[in-house]
Amino acid sequence: MRIDQESDGVSASTKHLVFAYYVTGHGFGHATRVTEVVRHLIHAGHDVHVVTGAPDFVFTSEIQSPRLTIRKVLLDCGAVQADALTVDRLASLSKYSETAVKPRAQILEQEAEWLNSVKADLVVSDVVPVACRAAADAGIRAVCVTNFSWDFIYAEYVMAAGLHHRSIVWQIAEDYSHCEFLIRLPGYCPMPAFRDTIDVPLVVRRLHKSAKEVKKELGVTDDVKLVILNFGGQPSGLKLKEEFLPSGWLCLVCGASEHEDLPPNFIKLARDAYTPDIIAASDCMLGKIGYGTVSEALAYKCPFVFVRRDYFNEEPFLRNMLENSQCGVEMIRRDLLTGHWRPYLERAISLKPCYEAGINGGEVAAHILQETAFGKNYASDKLSGARRLRDAIVLGYQLQRAPGGDITIPEWYATAENQLGHTTPASPVDDGTTAFSSDFENIDILHGDVQGLPDTVAFLQNLSELHEKHTRRERKAAANVFNWEEEIFVTRAPGRLDVMGGIADYSGSLVLQMPIKEACHVALQRIHPSKHRLWKHAEARQKDKGGNPTAVLQIVSYGSELSNRSPTFDMDFSDFMDGDKPISYEQARKYFAKDPSQKWAAYVAGAFLVLMIELGVQFEDSFSLLVSSAVPEGKGVSSSASVEVASMSAIAAAHGLNISPRDLAILCQKVENHIVGAPCGVMDQMASACGEANKLLAMICQPAEIVGLVEIPNHIRVWGIDSGIRHSVGGADYGSVRIGAFMGMKMIKAKASEELSELCAANGLNYDEVEQDDIELLKQEASLEYLCNLPPHRFEALYSKTIPETTVGETFLEEYKNHNDPVTIIDQKRTYGVRAPTMHPIYENFRVKTFKALLTSASSTYQLTTLGELLYQCHYSYSACGLGSDGTDRLVHLVQELQHSASSNAEGGTLFGAKITGGGSGGTVCAIGRNCLKSSEHIFEVQPRYKKATGYLPFIFEGSSPGAGKVGYLKIRRRATPIKANSDGANGAITMENNS
């Protein structure tokens, strides 16, 4: 339901109502928009009790009425920020737990009693979760007014914090489900906990003064350009310098410390300054995105130069609204900190903001609230919101799109084309109905062959069309990143499906991996710095340094709309140097971690540094790269490995480096381990680099010994089913399980040394043959390099009782000093599972060997049943380690239901087993079955059953494609030089030109 400007407003009421309005403790933006709604309610003659932790002046500067009562109580904490741009995810969850979870029973009792004491007619929440439940306990209707909900924001934080915080997200969502309906503001996020929604216009504070009056009070003449520095009322934390601003500019600083000395071209605003008036009087605004700043920038047509905020899921939706209204320019954080503001400010004042939708949302929302309090029913008769949550709560949201063109950002890449227009080339689907031509209108292939891969054909076609005018930033950036008169190298690397082995790779297990159809393509150009087409901000940075053009790396990544990341990245190659030597991996990790919106670039740019450190390669030329991946992120199918392998392959091709696929995969693992900081094994990169279509890559991860390619028998078929729950090998659960396994191996080695010493002490030098064999075994186990080299029977016979269920990091370190894992660090205060993470790789290695042997055995139902049972055992072993998830468990259960169904039995069996894959904690399930029509029907029957339970329709991974080593590389050149367009470029449409 949408209600726009046609609202009759909030007329004065003859009946007096009491509203209890709860305001979240996160930032001033919520309080300022609440003020606008409250103003209209009070104007209509009602009393409003505002429950908030925000300063009184936010409300009283706009409302002076005895009908307003401010009650200073904080019932949630929002996102805890380390600084103006950085959210501390773990601290946010911990503080919410202290604020709202531990005292929950007391809060509910207290709030229900207070609501009844003030005789509240309606509870309104923006967007305090527990207020909705308290209203239900008090028997009072509740309505939420917001553009996001905390279950959506905190869901991403669970990735970093681990499963033990997931209950927070569930509790918040269940609290919201007690709300009767949602008044939804523009720029909204997915909010599945609310069963009914009403869309309203922007809620914006009104103006008190004209721009002329504001400038007169500031003593500013019309020839001076004004920029307001606004970080939502917080201090920016910047060390401001006079040279940050171009000549003729003045900066008005919000939230500056009283003791902060500012340069002469910066003016400190009073803490209670009325920012809507100042924003309307300014030529542009510089700061971070929040609802308050965005709504006022749009309403008063003030161009907004913004810097991305870390780990705040609200931002992409507001950012799209800004950019669709030609009101936004994105600034790289590095340029904010170093004062390279000029190109962004100049770009901002050239924009013509065009937001024409309503800005009277405060009035409209107040009218709805008044009518609801009178008894009007806006909600439809549906199932409760809590029933519709299920697994979809933890980043499993089906994104929505509001009528009227407010574009949101789908999590599910499969729907991205419908929501946002074409993004990346489709994965190869050969159904026999489409003919793909390798002839391109304006591209010459100088080396290599597309090998009939339709996604490669689509990528080349995309390159050939980049001269056309594009409206989206990533396309504009890509069109301007290459010098089309020079050669371009194109590489392709697929994702992979983990059939068997999974997390046991870091313990040296045999693994079986299948490259999937979905792949990443990279287009790379190596060019002399004098011919490099630089983006304006990069050009300005070079000019500031003076001297001749130097080597620069520029990267464009398609699909930035699918996650909160910048579509472009650039750096000087000199940033990778410390004197005459490359910087260390630790320095590189810190370099990329400075701006999480650009941390994705570590997977690509990190390949250059690894080649510098490991092979001594020197990069004197500039490089431009375009990365386009159809491998979905967070699904456990190695999206990161495909990017690394495709990038490394392209660099090697352009530089003439002869690197074998195996060695290239090991180099790519170093990118992920040492620069990205994710403690993955090597199997993902090996499968992407060395795999072949429709075969399982068999590899012993000690560290990367390929033992062959295993044909999948014609009567067997393998599928991947996406759970919709985002997976990350950088998450806390994966890392802690890995640490637990290395702790277990350390304990086993210590036990073996102890047994060896006792045996030697007891017998001296007199051993019989059996004792000598025991000694040799113990020696091997005392110097164990890989946990998987310990057979299950030896573990059970000698070591099983030695391994505790859990141990505290500090306790372990006191006894064993270290765990000998170079890519993880033990948290002394954390409790780690040890027994299950230790047992898993020992038994998984045995399961994988058995699985591989069975694939070559005679075809029989027994063969399929046993293969399926091995998958099930692996799945439940993951769960014992703490790496399961509700979604993947549900998918495995659905496979079991269909396996034992009458229709399956009638066919002699269809599906036979399923397991969670990769790093676990969500992602994709691998299923195995008979290669027949009924099996496919059963796999696709899983989709609607899962959607009915969770609200998410899972994607099915089918088929396979060759690895990067098999495909090789293409060398291409565009035939015709495109007409140079004055198109908008990277980072908020900054004009990009040839710098030569």
Side-chain angles (χ1 to χ4, degrees):
M1 185 188 301
R2 175 176 282 276
I3 299 179
D4 288 305
Q5 295 97 306
E6 66 270 12
S7 167
D8 294 330
V10 190
S11 57
S13 173
T14 56
K15 181 179 178 182
H16 169 260
L17 296 170
V18 176
F19 293 87
Y21 212 132
Y22 288 82
V23 188
T24 186
H26 179 75
F28 283 179
H30 298 268
T32 57
R33 70 188 185 198
V34 165
T35 299
E36 184 63 15
V37 179
V38 169
R39 183 174 69 83
H40 286 286
L41 289 173
I42 288 176
H43 181 73
H46 306 305
D47 285 357
V48 182
H49 295 262
V50 176
V51 184
T52 181
D56 289 3
F57 74 81
V58 178
F59 305 95
T60 56
S61 61
E62 182 69 5
I63 305 170
Q64 295 86 37
S65 170
R67 294 188 177 278
L68 171 65
T69 303
I70 299 175
R71 176 172 171 246
K72 301 305 285 287
V73 176
L74 187 64
L75 297 178
D76 70 355
C77 63
V80 176
Q81 297 192 199
D83 55 46
L85 292 172
T86 306
V87 172
D88 188 328
R89 294 172 290 174
L90 298 181
S92 297
L93 292 173
S94 297
K95 188 170 182 181
Y96 185 84
S97 180
E98 293 296 325
T99 305
V101 176
K102 292 181 179 178
R104 177 178 174 80
Q106 179 184 347
I107 289 173
L108 288 173
E109 181 181 356
Q110 164 191 298
E111 293 308 302
E113 182 180 343
W114 176 78
L115 288 169
N116 285 318
S117 72
V118 299
K119 297 181 171 55
D121 295 291
L122 186 70
V123 171
V124 190
S125 178
D126 183 356
V127 63
V128 180
V130 74
C132 303
R133 176 58 187 269
D137 290 353
I140 303 170
R141 300 168 76 188
V143 176
C144 283
V145 183
T146 188
N147 65 306
F148 76 83
S149 56
W150 286 112
D151 55 333
F152 180 75
I153 303 300
Y154 285 161
E156 182 182 356
Y157 302 175
V158 172
M159 296 286 294
L163 292 173
H164 54 290
H165 279 295
R166 184 179 295 182
S167 60
I168 289 178
V169 178
W170 276 90
Q171 186 65 73
I172 291 171
E174 289 173 356
D175 281 347
Y176 285 145
S177 71
H178 293 285
C179 167
E180 191 166 309
F181 64 90
L182 165 69
I183 297 176
R184 189 167 59 182
L185 306 180
Y188 59 82
C189 303
M191 293 179 277
F194 300 100
R195 61 184 183 269
D196 288 288
T197 59
I198 300 174
D199 291 300
V200 300
L202 279 177
V203 176
V204 184
R205 291 181 290 177
R206 60 181 177 171
L207 297 180
H208 292 168
K209 299 173 184 176
S210 67
K212 186 175 182 179
E213 290 173 317
V214 171
K215 289 184 177 181
K216 184 178 179 180
E217 287 184 5
L218 292 171
V220 177
T221 57
D222 289 339
D223 62 330
V224 175
K225 296 292 184 185
L226 287 180
V227 55
I228 175 172
L229 186 66
N230 187 356
F231 282 83
Q234 286 184 297
S236 67
L238 299 173
K239 295 180 179 178
L240 300 170
K241 299 179 181 179
E242 186 174 353
E243 58 267 27
F244 283 13
L245 295 175
S247 177
W249 282 76
L250 188 66
C251 182
L252 310 174
V253 183
C254 296
S257 166
E258 295 180 5
H259 307 292
E260 185 178 358
D261 293 326
L262 298 181
N265 50 351
F266 289 79
I267 294 178
K268 190 183 304 182
L269 294 174
R271 176 173 167 77
D272 58 353
Y274 192 65
T275 52
D277 289 344
I278 300 169
I279 289 172
S282 297
D283 294 281
C284 64
M285 177 162 53
L286 171 59
K288 68 179 180 182
I289 286 180
Y291 182 88
T293 52
V294 168
S295 62
E296 288 163 4
L298 291 171
Y300 304 122
K301 295 181 169 51
C302 178
F304 192 172
V305 180
F306 61 86
V307 181
R308 293 191 190 223
R309 191 165 24 160
D310 305 347
Y311 310 120
F312 203 74
N313 291 348
E314 173 194 24
E315 185 174 282
F317 303 86
L318 296 173
R319 186 176 69 243
N320 261 0
M321 193 162 61
L322 271 179
E323 293 173 350
N324 291 336
S325 300
Q326 298 181 42
C327 196
V329 177
E330 181 176 352
M331 176 185 280
I332 297 173
R333 184 180 300 194
R334 185 169 70 248
D335 288 342
L336 172 74
L337 300 175
T338 57
H340 288 283
W341 294 7
R342 177 180 55 79
Y344 301 96
L345 299 179
E346 290 174 353
R347 173 59 189 162
I349 60 175
S350 73
L351 297 178
K352 300 187 186 312
C354 57
Y355 187 79
E356 302 298 339
I359 59 173
N360 65 331
E363 179 184 358
V364 175
H367 174 76
I368 296 170
L369 294 174
Q370 176 181 270
E371 295 302 300
T372 302
F374 281 150
K376 184 173 180 178
N377 183 22
Y378 284 95
S380 59
D381 184 19
K382 294 181 180 179
L383 293 173
S384 71
R387 282 187 167 184
R388 295 163 50 196
L389 298 177
R390 315 276 177 168
D391 297 336
I393 290 174
V394 183
L395 286 183
Y397 295 95
Q398 186 71 42
L399 298 203
Q400 309 159 58
R401 182 175 181 173
D406 291 339
I407 296 179
T408 60
I409 301 175
E411 160 71 9
W412 317 117
Y413 80 99
T415 63
E417 186 168 337
N418 295 331
Q419 290 286 342
L420 291 162
H422 181 68
T423 55
T424 58
S427 60
V429 179
D430 186 6
D431 59 3
T433 63
T434 305
F436 289 90
S437 171
S438 58
D439 293 328
F440 303 96
E441 184 177 345
N442 61 349
I443 284 184
D444 287 322
I445 298 180
L446 308 177
H447 175 275
D449 183 2
V450 297
Q451 299 188 24
L453 293 166
D455 59 342
T456 301
V457 173
F459 180 71
L460 293 177
Q461 190 64 40
N462 177 276
L463 283 177
S464 72
E465 297 169 354
L466 278 179
H467 65 280
E468 298 177 0
K469 187 175 182 179
H470 293 282
T471 58
R472 290 195 0 253
R473 286 185 303 139
E474 61 183 34
R475 292 304 169 109
K476 294 175 185 178
N480 287 273
V481 78
F482 294 122
N483 184 327
W484 295 108
E485 297 177 356
E486 303 293 330
E487 296 172 347
I488 295 173
F489 294 82
V490 175
T491 53
R492 177 191 186 277
R496 68 92 187 95
L497 181 65
D498 166 35
V499 178
M500 286 293 287
I503 60 167
D505 64 341
Y506 55 67
S507 293
S509 177
L510 173 69
V511 297
L512 299 173
Q513 307 296 304
M514 184 181 79
I516 59 176
K517 286 191 301 186
E518 291 73 19
C520 172
H521 286 83
V522 167
L524 176 146
Q525 185 172 75
R526 176 186 178 185
I527 193 166
H528 191 274
S530 64
K531 296 181 179 180
H532 199 197
R533 304 183 70 184
L534 289 180
W535 297 323
K536 278 292 186 181
H537 61 272
E539 181 181 7
R541 190 169 65 239
Q542 285 230 338
K543 286 182 178 178
D544 288 346
K545 292 182 178 180
N548 297 323
T550 56
V552 173
L553 173 63
Q554 295 186 149
I555 307 171
V556 179
S557 173
Y558 280 173
S560 60
E561 294 95 338
L562 308 184
S563 58
N564 185 20
R565 69 165 189 255
S566 174
T568 62
F569 173 84
D570 64 273
M571 64 176 290
D572 298 332
F573 270 104
S574 60
D575 292 346
F576 272 158
M577 298 300 294
D578 184 3
D580 59 352
K581 295 181 180 180
I583 62 174
S584 68
Y585 287 137
E586 183 180 357
Q587 288 173 304
R589 186 162 58 249
K590 291 178 180 178
Y591 178 90
F592 288 106
K594 288 178 181 177
D595 186 354
S597 72
Q598 292 190 320
K599 189 176 179 181
W600 61 267
Y603 294 97
V604 183
F608 287 92
L609 182 62
V610 167
L611 289 172
M612 292 165 68
I613 293 176
E614 303 298 331
L615 301 185
V617 179
Q618 296 181 351
F619 295 102
E620 297 177 355
D621 288 332
S622 291
F623 285 81
S624 293
L625 288 88
L626 170 62
V627 181
S628 176
S629 182
V631 185
E633 297 177 28
K635 310 299 183 189
V637 288
S638 299
S639 58
S640 59
S642 65
V643 171
E644 292 156 0
V645 171
S647 300
M648 188 77 77
S649 299
I651 299 166
H655 233 269
L657 302 175
N658 185 18
I659 306 175
S660 71
R662 176 188 179 275
D663 291 343
L664 187 136
I666 293 173
L667 291 171
C668 290
Q669 185 198 18
K670 292 182 184 295
V671 174
E672 190 143 1
N673 283 174
H674 301 309
I675 299 177
V676 177
C680 69
V682 74
M683 73 175 190
D684 298 356
Q685 290 82 4
M686 291 291 288
S688 185
C690 307
E692 292 188 18
N694 301 309
K695 296 179 182 179
L696 300 181
L697 180 72
M699 180 181 69
I700 297 174
C701 302
Q702 300 187 16
E705 179 190 345
I706 296 175
V707 294
L709 292 160
V710 182
E711 295 274 359
I712 301 174
N714 291 334
H715 66 285
I716 294 176
R717 193 165 184 182
V718 177
W719 299 267
I721 313 172
D722 168 33
S723 69
I725 297 177
R726 194 171 176 87
H727 144 89
S728 170
V729 295
D733 302 310
Y734 177 90
S736 65
V737 172
R738 176 171 175 144
I739 288 172
F742 276 84
M743 285 178 167
M745 184 168 72
K746 187 82 172 191
M747 294 174 180
I748 287 170
K749 292 169 71 174
K751 175 66 174 175
S753 297
E754 180 185 326
E755 292 287 328
L756 184 61
S757 297
E758 290 179 0
L759 187 60
C760 291
N763 295 285
L765 298 176
N766 301 313
Y767 308 121
D768 59 27
E769 187 175 343
V770 173
E771 290 173 332
Q772 186 64 47
D773 291 340
D774 285 343
I775 289 173
E776 289 304 315
L777 271 176
L778 288 170
K779 283 181 178 179
Q780 293 174 18
E781 290 159 3
S783 58
L784 198 64
E785 290 188 41
Y786 294 96
L787 193 52
C788 287
N789 289 340
L790 183 69
H793 74 274
R794 285 291 292 176
F795 173 77
E796 293 294 347
L798 196 59
Y799 304 110
S800 176
K801 295 178 181 178
T802 303
I803 308 299
E805 291 290 337
T806 62
T807 190
V808 177
E810 185 176 24
T811 304
F812 175 85
L813 291 172
E814 286 176 357
E815 183 171 355
Y816 297 99
K817 307 304 180 189
N818 60 65
H819 67 318
N820 293 336
D821 181 13
V823 297
T824 56
I825 298 173
I826 293 175
D827 181 347
Q828 294 193 33
K829 302 301 181 186
R830 182 163 187 171
T831 299
Y832 292 94
V834 180
R835 184 174 178 80
T838 301
M839 291 179 63
H840 175 82
I842 293 171
Y843 282 89
E844 180 70 0
N845 188 44
F846 175 78
R847 287 190 288 262
V848 182
K849 290 178 178 178
T850 307
F851 190 97
K852 179 175 179 289
L854 279 168
L855 283 176
T856 59
S857 66
S859 171
S860 66
T861 300
Y862 171 80
Q863 177 200 35
L864 283 164
T865 302
T866 308
L867 288 170
E869 183 61 30
L870 291 169
L871 261 65
Y872 286 138
Q873 288 182 16
C874 173
H875 177 79
Y876 294 116
S877 183
Y878 263 75
S879 296
C881 292
L883 293 177
S885 75
D886 299 328
T888 49
D889 284 349
R890 184 179 296 280
L891 286 172
V892 170
H893 181 70
L894 289 172
V895 169
Q896 290 177 352
E897 285 184 345
L898 291 165
Q899 175 184 352
H900 300 298
S901 65
S903 59
S904 176
N905 292 332
E907 296 283 332
T910 55
L911 304 181
F912 288 89
K915 63 176 275 287
I916 195 170
T917 63
S921 298
T924 297
V925 159
C926 173
I928 192 169
R930 194 184 301 278
N931 189 8
C932 64
L933 180 61
K934 181 58 71 174
S935 296
S936 294
E937 290 176 359
H938 278 177
I939 283 292
F940 285 98
E941 192 175 330
V942 169
Q943 285 182 301
R945 291 191 183 193
Y946 189 76
K947 183 178 181 180
K948 183 178 180 181
T950 68
Y952 173 64
L953 184 69
F955 181 84
I956 305 294
F957 293 96
E958 286 191 287
S960 183
S961 69
K966 198 74 174 175
V967 173
Y969 68 91
L970 300 175
K971 184 164 65 175
I972 66 170
R973 182 187 284 125
R974 279 263 290 267
R975 291 174 191 159
T977 302
I979 298 173
K980 182 179 173 181
N982 185 25
S983 61
D984 296 339
N987 305 304
I990 296 173
T991 302
M992 288 179 286
E993 299 172 350
N994 195 323
N995 190 34
S996 58

